[in-house]
Amino acid sequence: MKKLALTFAIVLLAVSTAFAGTKKDIRTVTFDTFLHCKECVRKVQENIAFEKGVKDLEVSLEKQKITIDYDARKTSVETLKKSIEKLGYKAIEHKEVKDGSKD
């Protein structure tokens, strides 16, 4: 019985150590875009939400922006941009300027 408990403890320690090193690198990117209607918003939401690494997605028809929280270990800004463009929409990365205001 002691041998079984010791084996279980070793396996549990090995598994927890393996998962401890898998920290996520969550980043946020915002794209300026040109969406025409609610159907465009739905199309982006239904497709981009399932791209590898996407953790959260906000699509605004009023602001003409797509904001994505993503795991940088699994995807990149360029990959996300290409995914939006494959849907037929422009995606221009929105950058903040040094004084704190937005481009």
Side-chain angles (χ1 to χ4, degrees):
M1 187 68 169
K2 284 184 177 181
K3 196 173 189 178
L4 181 62
L6 181 61
T7 303
F8 180 74
I10 291 171
V11 169
L12 186 62
L13 180 63
V15 169
S16 63
T17 302
F19 283 110
T22 58
K23 288 190 174 186
K24 296 180 181 177
D25 185 6
I26 305 298
R27 299 181 188 180
T28 301
V29 64
T30 299
F31 295 103
D32 293 316
T33 190
F34 304 101
L35 302 170
H36 301 85
C37 61
K38 289 181 182 178
E39 184 63 25
C40 296
V41 171
R42 184 195 61 77
K43 184 177 178 181
V44 171
Q45 288 172 332
E46 288 181 357
N47 288 279
I48 303 303
F50 295 103
E51 287 291 321
K52 184 177 182 179
V54 172
K55 300 300 177 192
D56 193 27
L57 172 69
E58 182 182 325
V59 184
S60 173
L61 180 61
E62 296 78 26
K63 295 178 183 177
Q64 295 290 300
K65 295 193 183 306
I66 300 169
T67 302
I68 304 170
D69 293 338
Y70 66 97
D71 186 341
R73 294 173 310 126
K74 296 182 180 181
T75 192
S76 67
V77 171
E78 191 59 35
T79 300
L80 295 169
K81 179 180 177 177
K82 286 179 184 177
S83 296
I84 294 167
E85 290 174 344
K86 278 183 189 178
L87 297 173
Y89 305 104
K90 290 190 183 237
I92 302 161
E93 187 178 355
H94 187 86
K95 302 224 181 196
E96 292 202 25
V97 291
K98 289 184 181 181
D99 67 358
S101 63
K102 297 193 177 194
D103 254 350

